Amino acid sequence: MVRQDLAREECTVAAAAAAPVWSVDPRNGKRREQVAVEATAEEVDSAVRTAHAARAALADRTVRAAFLRRAADLLDEAGDRVIEAADAETALGPGRLTGELSRTTYQLRAFADSVAEGAFLDVLIDHADPALAPPRPDLRRYKIPLGAVAVYAASNFPLAFSVPGGDTASALAAGCPVVVKAHPDHPATSELCAALLRRAAADTGVPEGVLNLVHGFQAGIDLVRHPLITAAGFTGSVRGGRALHDAAAARPRPIPFHGELGSLNPVVITEAAAGERAEQIGAGLAGAMTLGVGQFCVKPGLVLAPEGEVGDRLLKSLTAAVSDTEAGVLLDQRMRDAFLDGVRTRAGLPDVHAPVTPGAGGEHTVSAGFLAVPAARLATEGPHDLLLEECFGPVTVLARYADEAEITAVLARLPGNLTATLQLGDDECAGTDADGRGARLLADVTPLAGRVVVNGWPTGVAVAPAQHHGGPYPATTSTSTSVGGTAVERWLRPVAYQDTPPALLPPELREDNPLGLPRRVDGRPEGA
């Protein structure tokens, strides 16, 4: 969920000796300890081959459900150590990380439940029907795991989107062994979590090789190119994600690359909404854009707000709330430098001003702020297009619009996003507004995002069966979700068996349904 820029990682590939991997405290920039060395090409090859060889151990759904539950239990038992390690490397704070750990173990158990139920196998059986024209053969379809999967850990979620996170959990749930490329911002946390997952495997009779960890920029490239890797999941920057996506597509046998790359997460505040609750919206926006020091992938990065008196009230509320926000530490110095440079460049554009100036809060911290600009500046191509690109950190852009035509013009220029948010008035929500603005705006933002939020804020991605965390490019490189039960679908492919003798069919497709799976037979739920 984050902006990992592979192209900017420090990378020195030396033939004589592997480069050390250091754990660094972002609060002071000092090295804490060396936790590993960057993996050589031979070590990446060994990790992938070990994972590939462990595929059969995950074939039994009962075993892999037990493995996932044991992993969740061990993470909970080691919670204090895990949170201490993650906080030392990310400065995200024990409170935030305690919640993230709970989310991570909940996610593992949710996938275990999904594995036990088996509905994700999507079993379909159509019996032969010679009376049809043309006649239909006996067809039986379900989904099978792809094989060994590469997972690229995220920077700002050292647990929920990293070694034990959603990509890993969903791949293991699908029956796919995993090789994780650790993020350089939290290598010690990655090693600790990997050890716990490997112990969970051993405790449940699964080879530890179902989960392997590698470090280093070049290791990440070698991983996506390895012929035994069948798919990849990535959370990070557009630049880094595109480099890996292109490498995955350029292979002799291309593989699916499920990348989350970048998102502006636009918000539209109607005049009616601002008139009804300007102060509440201003405070809520401030909380959403500064949460986690603005390092959430669903942070609102562009806000369309009305001109006039109600817009001024909202601006006043936002100014007060952001001004009260304490300076915070970003995940690493490179991100801090990029944030300061990005803010400085954006603030220098014509007609852009900063009611609260974002910038350096101290030697290792940054202060929150926001930029304001007339929406008309964003309605046509020009230098202000920079304001339509994500700036990772505690800053947002408030674009003041004169009428709905300016809203439409700005929205038409936006790329794909993870989320889009509408703040609507009561009549607009009820559909009783005279001009149907609420419904019209909902139709306008739906093509832009994978999740549409009404009268709330996009920060906080609930782990639930109906969740969708994805969106049109560059938000993601596929139509899949990385959060929720359907995330498992990324690591599966369908296979249909035609007129196959019963004795040769997989148990999932046999007539007597020995595994008790939910299935659709001849177009109806079995047993209905």
Side-chain angles (χ1 to χ4, degrees):
M1 230 178 160
V2 257
R3 309 304 144 230
Q4 171 194 20
D5 192 341
L6 291 176
R8 297 180 61 184
E9 283 186 25
E10 295 181 2
C11 171
T12 303
V13 181
V21 175
W22 293 93
S23 173
V24 176
D25 185 343
R27 293 180 173 95
N28 56 31
K30 294 181 180 179
R31 290 176 172 176
R32 299 175 58 248
E33 59 177 330
Q34 181 183 339
V35 299
V37 294
E38 294 184 354
T40 64
E42 292 75 15
E43 288 167 337
V44 172
D45 178 66
S46 176
V48 174
R49 291 186 182 280
T50 300
H52 178 75
R55 291 170 298 152
L58 293 175
D60 188 319
R61 289 187 299 114
T62 301
V63 170
R64 67 180 188 258
F67 167 35
L68 292 169
R69 291 194 178 100
R70 181 60 178 155
D73 290 344
L74 289 178
L75 284 163
D76 280 339
E77 291 170 12
D80 289 345
R81 284 193 295 140
V82 171
I83 291 166
E84 181 181 8
D87 181 52
E89 293 186 305
T90 66
L92 290 172
R96 149 71 195 277
L97 291 167
T98 297
E100 187 179 336
L101 178 60
S102 296
R103 170 204 173 95
T104 302
T105 56
Y106 174 85
Q107 190 165 236
L108 285 162
R109 294 186 179 102
F111 278 119
D113 291 343
S114 179
V115 170
E117 179 199 30
F120 71 97
L121 295 172
D122 196 19
V123 180
L124 303 172
I125 296 176
D126 290 319
H127 290 110
D129 189 344
L132 291 176
R136 184 177 70 201
D138 185 272
L139 288 167
R140 296 164 188 250
R141 178 188 189 270
Y142 79 138
K143 292 178 179 178
I144 63 172
L146 292 174
V149 164
V151 168
Y152 294 81
S155 62
N156 66 342
F157 279 84
L159 305 175
F161 283 83
S162 293
V163 173
D167 284 352
T168 298
S170 59
L172 292 171
C176 296
V178 175
V179 181
V180 181
K181 189 275 181 187
H183 194 280
D185 279 351
H186 39 77
T189 307
S190 298
E191 288 285 347
L192 174 57
C193 290
L196 292 168
L197 264 63
R198 290 167 68 87
R199 179 180 154 195
D203 287 352
T204 50
V206 176
E208 293 184 1
V210 295
L211 190 287
N212 293 292
L213 184 69
V214 296
H215 298 265
F217 173 86
Q218 186 59 42
I221 299 296
D222 294 341
L223 187 57
V224 78
R225 290 174 175 166
H226 197 287
L228 294 180
I229 289 294
T230 61
F234 170 90
T235 302
S237 69
V238 173
R239 187 176 179 183
R242 269 311 297 259
L244 289 173
H245 174 273
D246 294 348
R251 291 166 41 128
R253 293 184 180 181
I255 60 172
F257 182 84
H258 301 286
E260 179 193 323
L261 310 188
S263 186
L264 196 61
N265 306 302
V267 177
V268 178
I269 303 169
T270 66
E271 187 171 5
E276 291 170 6
R277 55 184 195 282
E279 290 72 23
Q280 178 186 340
I281 292 173
L285 173 58
M289 58 158 284
T290 60
L291 186 66
V293 201
Q295 297 174 114
F296 277 54
C297 58
V298 289
K299 177 201 75 176
L302 174 69
V303 182
L304 288 155
E307 295 179 351
E309 185 268 334
V310 295
D312 290 344
R313 282 172 45 210
L314 188 153
L315 181 68
K316 181 179 179 181
S317 172
L318 177 63
T319 298
V322 172
S323 298
D324 286 342
T325 303
E326 294 183 1
V329 178
L330 294 183
L331 293 161
D332 61 39
Q333 187 62 42
R334 289 175 292 111
M335 292 185 185
R336 182 177 183 273
D337 291 344
F339 170 76
L340 295 177
D341 181 64
V343 166
R344 185 164 45 247
T345 304
R346 288 165 172 79
L349 294 169
D351 291 335
V352 174
H353 69 284
V356 181
T357 303
E363 185 178 359
H364 297 285
T365 60
V366 296
S367 59
F370 67 98
L371 307 175
V373 64
R377 280 288 195 175
L378 307 179
T380 56
E381 185 176 352
H384 290 77
D385 286 358
L386 182 62
L387 299 175
L388 303 181
E389 297 178 11
E390 180 186 25
C391 186
F392 192 61
V395 64
T396 195
V397 174
L398 193 73
R400 304 287 299 271
Y401 63 84
D403 52 36
E404 191 175 339
E406 289 189 353
I407 299 176
T408 301
V410 174
L411 292 178
R413 304 198 62 240
L414 297 186
N417 292 271
L418 294 170
T419 70
T421 297
L422 297 177
Q423 293 287 340
L424 304 177
D426 291 343
D427 287 344
E428 292 166 336
C429 285
T432 55
D433 52 319
D435 60 0
R437 181 178 289 108
R440 194 162 56 248
L441 286 173
L442 191 71
D444 285 345
V445 300
T446 295
L448 296 176
R451 178 164 57 106
V452 177
V453 180
V454 178
N455 287 358
W457 300 104
T459 41
V461 184
V463 179
Q467 183 59 272
H468 187 84
H469 188 66
Y473 185 85
T476 54
T477 60
S478 71
T479 58
S480 302
T481 179
S482 62
V483 179
T486 56
V488 72
E489 295 174 359
R490 296 174 295 170
W491 321 117
L492 299 165
R493 71 175 181 89
V495 177
Y497 292 86
Q498 180 172 325
D499 291 333
T500 303
L504 302 182
L505 284 170
E508 292 86 352
L509 301 179
R510 292 176 186 168
E511 198 68 21
D512 60 350
N513 194 7
L515 302 180
L517 293 168
R519 313 191 302 185
R520 291 186 69 85
V521 178
D522 295 332
R524 293 186 178 88
E526 192 168 36

